[in-house]
Amino acid sequence: MRNFDEWLKTMRPSINQYDYYVDFNKVYENVEAMKVELNIMNSLIGSKNIEEDIKKLIERYPEVIRCIPTLLAVRQTEIYAQDAEGAFNYNFKEMNYSVDQYIVFMGKTGLLDLIANHLINNLVDYCLGIEVGLDSNGRKNRGGHQMEDLVEKYLVEAGVEYYKEMYLTEIEEKWGVDLSPISAEGKSTKRWDFVVKAQDNIYVIETNFYGGGGSKLNETSRSYELIASKMKEVNGVEFIWVTDGGGWKSAKKNLSETFDVLDTLFNIQDMEEGTLNRLFAYGKSGLFDL
């Protein structure tokens, strides 16, 4: 029998890899895509008559408006702004107001002052910094994929037949199994992170990593405890939950309850010790006897 408290101690505080922090390739690509426009705008740096100069520039090179949202650290191509003089929804892909109105926008947002007063030397370098900052918003997605990538690495090492992001209905159709207890008699569509077809069983796998605490952990644990209970009504299919992270130490009660009913609840150390390999090769009888 496994000991929950000892197992909990093996949870990792983080699984962040070197490329988690900034995707520099994406940063460079985004800046490269508007490098011509930014270099055209560079001619305005230090302008003594910024409004007149930028009006001439936009009239001659209207495409330069494409880079304005990035100069404000905004991703979308439409920006809404309002004050006592009215409300406007500026389109920076295709101009929907006069050039003068776009100059008003740049003036009121502070861009004209930034450019004219030489607070920066090069808009390309400035946008590189902005893109690095914006890319930090992608860390949440990269963090979620890191755990999936880690689990997939061990599935590859196990040499098993596996599928990514497979829906419950697809499993039923492919192998002729009845998952109605899990789907509430067909009312729910569930997508599993991985599905493994081993010799004697089908294994459906959920993965996640929680570096911090919060109510979501308790909800997840209760949800997976219910799945584990319902899966006992299904022949030929086993549920595996692979999770890790220091966040579980603040939600140990609910996790402990799931641990007691789901003997295929694993963490990273379990995978490192070959637990998945033994499970797929020998079934549950091979889990903890080696």
Side-chain angles (χ1 to χ4, degrees):
M1 292 291 293
R2 297 190 297 170
N3 180 281
F4 174 76
D5 290 325
E6 292 300 318
W7 180 75
L8 189 66
K9 289 178 183 178
T10 65
M11 293 292 193
R12 311 291 170 90
S14 174
I15 53 171
N16 293 340
Q17 300 178 22
Y18 290 103
D19 58 1
Y20 163 78
Y21 299 97
V22 177
D23 184 349
F24 277 106
N25 288 331
K26 180 182 175 183
V27 167
Y28 300 145
E29 288 174 5
N30 289 344
V31 174
E32 187 66 30
M34 56 184 171
K35 195 171 184 178
V36 172
E37 291 82 358
L38 290 171
N39 278 316
I40 292 174
M41 291 279 284
N42 271 337
S43 65
L44 298 173
I45 292 178
S47 170
K48 302 302 181 183
N49 194 347
I50 186 64
E51 291 192 9
E52 182 179 330
D53 289 345
I54 200 165
K55 181 173 183 179
K56 291 178 181 178
L57 190 73
I58 294 175
E59 288 176 342
R60 185 172 181 182
Y61 305 104
E63 65 272 18
V64 298
I65 67 166
R66 283 198 317 126
C67 64
I68 291 176
T70 301
L71 295 175
L72 292 171
V74 175
R75 280 284 185 225
Q76 59 261 36
T77 58
E78 292 188 4
I79 299 178
Y80 178 90
Q82 68 176 45
D83 60 11
E85 296 181 7
F88 301 87
N89 192 31
Y90 297 88
N91 189 319
F92 291 94
K93 189 174 182 181
E94 187 173 334
M95 292 178 64
N96 58 338
Y97 298 114
S98 66
V99 173
D100 287 336
Q101 188 59 49
Y102 278 84
I103 294 174
V104 169
F105 174 89
M106 296 181 70
K108 291 184 176 181
T109 56
L111 280 178
L112 293 186
D113 182 59
L114 176 74
I115 296 171
N117 291 316
H118 218 282
L119 299 176
I120 53 176
N121 295 316
N122 186 298
L123 289 172
V124 175
D125 294 341
Y126 171 77
C127 282
L128 274 172
I130 287 179
E131 285 290 340
V132 168
L134 289 174
D135 185 71
S136 66
N137 295 327
R139 288 177 187 166
K140 183 176 181 181
N141 290 332
R142 289 196 290 272
H145 289 303
Q146 282 187 134
M147 190 61 175
E148 292 177 13
D149 292 344
L150 191 58
V151 171
E152 185 171 14
K153 168 193 166 187
Y154 287 101
L155 294 180
V156 171
E157 288 182 2
V160 293
E161 175 187 348
Y162 75 93
Y163 303 83
K164 295 179 66 174
E165 297 183 347
M166 197 170 192
Y167 283 95
L168 184 150
T169 51
E170 294 176 313
I171 299 171
E172 290 180 319
E173 292 171 3
K174 186 172 182 65
W175 291 293
V177 294
D178 179 13
L179 295 174
S180 57
I182 308 299
S183 66
E185 303 299 330
K187 296 178 183 178
S188 172
T189 58
K190 167 71 178 170
R191 187 181 70 176
W192 307 93
D193 292 332
F194 297 99
V195 176
V196 170
K197 180 62 175 73
Q199 291 183 358
D200 300 322
N201 276 311
I202 297 167
Y203 295 92
V204 294
I205 305 173
E206 285 292 282
T207 70
N208 40 51
F209 185 94
Y210 294 107
S215 60
K216 183 174 176 60
L217 283 78
N218 288 325
E219 294 171 8
T220 300
S221 188
R222 284 192 292 265
S223 172
Y224 290 171
E225 182 181 355
L226 178 60
I227 291 176
S229 174
K230 291 292 185 180
M231 195 64 79
K232 293 177 181 178
E233 302 175 30
V234 179
N235 293 322
V237 182
E238 297 282 351
F239 172 49
I240 298 174
W241 179 19
V242 183
T243 192
D244 212 306
W248 283 116
K249 294 179 180 179
S250 65
K252 59 183 294 184
K253 182 179 182 298
N254 287 84
L255 186 62
S256 174
E257 292 173 358
T258 308
F259 184 88
D260 289 339
V261 299
L262 182 61
D263 50 12
T264 50
L265 169 55
F266 306 129
N267 63 12
I268 294 172
Q269 180 164 305
D270 290 325
M271 292 192 296
E272 290 176 344
E273 293 175 350
T275 300
L276 290 181
N277 297 44
R278 297 196 300 274
L279 175 64
F280 298 144
Y282 306 111
K284 286 188 177 181
S285 62
L287 276 180
F288 311 113
D289 57 354
L290 296 178

